[in-house]
Amino acid sequence: MLLMADPLYPLAPDEDLPDLGTYNAIGTMLLPNSRADGSGGFFATCWFMVILPVVPLGRYYVRQTGYSDESGLLSIRTTTRYEIVGRSRVRWIEVVRTCLVWWIVMPAVFVGPSVAAAVGWEDENAGLYGMFVSVGLAFLLFTLLFFYGKYWRPVREVRWAEAAAGGTDGRRWQGFASMLQLAVLIGLLGFFAGVVILFIAMAMGELPTNLDPEPNPYVHTLLHPATLLAGLPVVTGMVTLAILASRRRR
């Protein structure tokens, strides 16, 4: 079997390793990029997750050291423990592949058939038919992902390398990704703030409409749902990223 080699860099003594774990679908998670080799180690990208993977924080060579399942009557908690052996550079082809699967393929499988049936099929049972198609496609997708992870995903050989100067070993991206992670979190808080402002404006009857006899363009712009639910998160996230970047350059 032909093994593809990846450069692996030793961990620095002061390296800030990711604190793996998610709470309410928000946190950090390792998504494997290769199958385990003879020693049980494999390459995996650490992602900042908000239900779906959002920011790749770094790529590591890890070994699974334990697994526990604590299932209760109304809760399920699984814990997988890893040993991070070394650091590697983020492979952007793996990042693009992960985003395509999580952001496009999975939503299309779960939602696409139901939406297509409801819109294009004039039948009272169109939604039910679409749901059956979604279940079948989801089963097929997870089966393919299982076989890919178990048998088809490549095994990558470790090639130890000395720590490179200039951040070419991946540490520079890790620093930027940490800032991007915080910016996304602040942007998420901005989204929830926009939701609160929108509902308060609706409750007070201050939400502008096209029927206003003397519309105020400033209020109409600031309280528009698109501004609160999309513009506010983007602005807060970009301002946070700019502040963090300026502080980092000092």
Side-chain angles (χ1 to χ4, degrees):
M1 179 173 56
L2 179 63
L3 301 181
M4 293 178 284
D6 265 10
L8 187 64
Y9 302 93
L11 299 174
D14 59 342
E15 187 154 348
D16 188 16
L17 295 177
D19 187 13
L20 300 174
T22 59
Y23 182 76
N24 290 338
I26 299 178
T28 55
M29 179 185 296
L30 286 175
L31 297 180
N33 303 130
S34 66
R35 279 190 292 145
D37 55 23
S39 67
F42 57 92
F43 288 92
T45 299
C46 180
W47 283 86
F48 171 60
M49 308 284 293
V50 182
I51 302 177
L52 302 175
V54 179
V55 180
L57 302 176
R59 187 171 183 265
Y60 302 93
Y61 180 74
V62 302
R63 293 191 183 97
Q64 182 176 329
T65 59
Y67 177 83
S68 61
D69 185 358
E70 302 174 5
S71 300
L73 181 62
L74 299 176
S75 63
I76 298 177
R77 179 181 179 182
T78 60
T79 303
T80 304
R81 288 175 291 274
Y82 296 97
E83 175 194 5
I84 298 179
V85 180
R87 171 177 22 86
S88 183
R89 291 193 294 264
V90 172
R91 291 174 57 88
W92 292 106
I93 185 65
E94 295 171 346
V95 171
V96 172
R97 187 187 303 128
T98 300
C99 290
L100 286 175
V101 171
W102 283 76
W103 284 90
I104 296 179
V105 176
M106 285 188 177
V109 165
F110 285 106
V111 181
S114 298
V115 174
V119 173
W121 197 348
E122 297 181 358
D123 189 291
E124 60 180 8
N125 296 319
L128 182 62
Y129 299 150
M131 183 186 68
F132 283 133
V133 174
S134 294
V135 172
L137 290 177
F139 179 78
L140 176 61
L141 175 63
F142 286 126
T143 301
L144 291 175
L145 290 177
F146 170 79
F147 278 101
Y148 176 75
K150 191 76 173 177
Y151 303 106
W152 303 332
R153 181 182 286 145
V155 178
R156 294 192 173 274
E157 184 181 9
V158 171
R159 176 169 55 83
W160 283 99
E162 296 182 359
T168 57
D169 57 359
R171 295 196 69 183
R172 177 177 295 176
W173 168 255
Q174 289 176 342
F176 177 74
S178 298
M179 296 190 299
L180 194 59
Q181 175 187 3
L182 185 56
V184 171
L185 280 173
I186 299 300
L188 189 62
L189 291 177
F191 172 78
F192 288 117
V195 172
V196 171
I197 295 172
L198 180 63
F199 278 101
I200 291 176
M202 291 175 60
M204 297 179 63
E206 297 295 333
L207 195 67
T209 66
N210 295 329
L211 301 179
D212 292 339
E214 296 181 0
N216 187 323
Y218 301 104
V219 174
H220 188 278
T221 301
L222 292 176
L223 293 183
H224 194 280
T227 302
L228 295 175
L229 302 183
L232 185 59
V234 171
V235 170
T236 54
M238 294 300 294
V239 169
T240 301
L241 185 59
I243 294 174
L244 293 174
S246 64
R247 290 173 62 89
R248 186 180 178 87
R249 286 196 296 266
R250 294 177 183 175

